[in-house]
């Protein structure tokens, strides 16, 4: 896995976390126990800290970054879907950022909130817990229910299992 020190600060990865061999972690990145960072993801903490809490997953080709002196935090059991941009914000516990979504500076995503695929959460927006945020910009909020609720409920366990399978069975071919 490509880990890079930046200005004397190195990423910290818990031994029970999974970081795909093509993910890139730079600088002041912390990946806690049971978290997973997937193929092609880039976590660049050269301006501030990035913290990926226990059991969270950052999926393929997503990018996390911070503004100067700030912290970007992904909460316990949260999901950042494929191809997301998460910049200098807070993603709450077991929140789910849908594929291709963008979450910008100072946004606060509440516990178990769901950012719809392709949505853009503008700077400083607060998405309440247990809601779905839709649109670009994300201005429509509805209660978390039905299939979306089931997805939020079950996704952390699915990715925990999948990370274990990848960690124990992937191998690079010649």
């Amino acid at each position: 896995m490509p880990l890079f020190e930046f200005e004397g600060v190195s990423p910290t990865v818990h031994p029970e976390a999974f970081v795909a061999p093509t993910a890139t972690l730079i600088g002041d990145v912390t990946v806690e126990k049971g978290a997973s960072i997937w193929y092609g993801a880039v976590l660049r903490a050269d301006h501030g800290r990035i913290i990926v809490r226990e059991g969270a997953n950052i999926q393929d080709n997503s990018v996390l970054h911070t503004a100067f002196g700030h912290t970007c935090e992904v909460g316990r059991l949260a999901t950042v879907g494929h191809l997301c941009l998460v910049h200098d914000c807070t993603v709450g516990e077991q929140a789910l950022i849908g594929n291709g979504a963008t979450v910008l500076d100072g946004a606060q995503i509440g516990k178990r909130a769901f950012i719809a695929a392709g949505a853009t959460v503008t700077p400083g927006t607060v998405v309440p817990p247990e809601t779905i945020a839709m649109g670009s910009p994300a201005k429509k909020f509805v209660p978390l229910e039905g299939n979306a609720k089931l997805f939020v409920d079950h996704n952390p366990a699915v990715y925990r299992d999948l990370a274990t399978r990848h960690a124990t069975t992937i191998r690079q071919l010649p």
Side-chain angles (χ1 to χ4, degrees):
M1 81 185 95
L3 302 177
F4 296 94
E5 178 181 293
F6 179 77
E7 295 181 343
V9 181
S10 299
T12 302
V13 177
H14 191 281
E16 293 179 42
F18 170 71
V19 177
T22 59
T24 303
L25 282 60
I26 303 161
D28 195 0
V29 176
T30 299
V31 179
E32 293 185 350
K33 179 180 180 179
S36 56
I37 314 298
W38 292 85
Y39 303 91
V42 176
L43 284 65
R44 182 165 57 93
D46 51 2
H47 293 324
R49 294 186 73 200
I50 295 173
I51 303 168
V52 179
R53 296 288 181 201
E54 182 176 346
N57 64 89
I58 311 300
Q59 295 176 11
D60 309 71
N61 297 312
S62 286
V63 174
L64 279 67
H65 191 241
T66 61
F68 285 101
H70 292 192
T71 298
C72 181
E73 181 174 351
V74 177
R76 183 179 167 275
L77 301 174
T79 294
V80 174
H82 307 283
L83 295 168
C84 292
L85 171 61
V86 175
H87 195 273
D88 195 33
C89 60
T90 302
V91 176
E93 181 175 335
Q94 205 172 344
L96 195 150
I97 311 302
N99 294 344
T102 299
V103 182
L104 295 172
D105 303 52
Q108 297 177 33
I109 310 304
K111 182 178 181 177
R112 295 178 47 77
F114 189 137
I115 308 305
T120 299
V121 179
T122 55
T125 298
V126 176
V127 178
E130 300 269 338
T131 61
I132 303 171
M134 297 176 273
S136 187
K139 298 223 180 253
K140 182 176 181 184
F141 297 169
V142 298
L144 180 66
E145 55 192 20
N147 287 338
K149 183 179 184 307
L150 290 173
F151 197 58
V152 168
D153 290 343
H154 297 289
N155 197 64
V158 169
Y159 267 82
R160 243 187 342 267
D161 177 61
L162 192 56
T164 299
R165 291 170 51 209
H166 275 259
T168 57
T169 66
I170 63 166
R171 63 184 179 95
Q172 188 168 6
L173 300 175

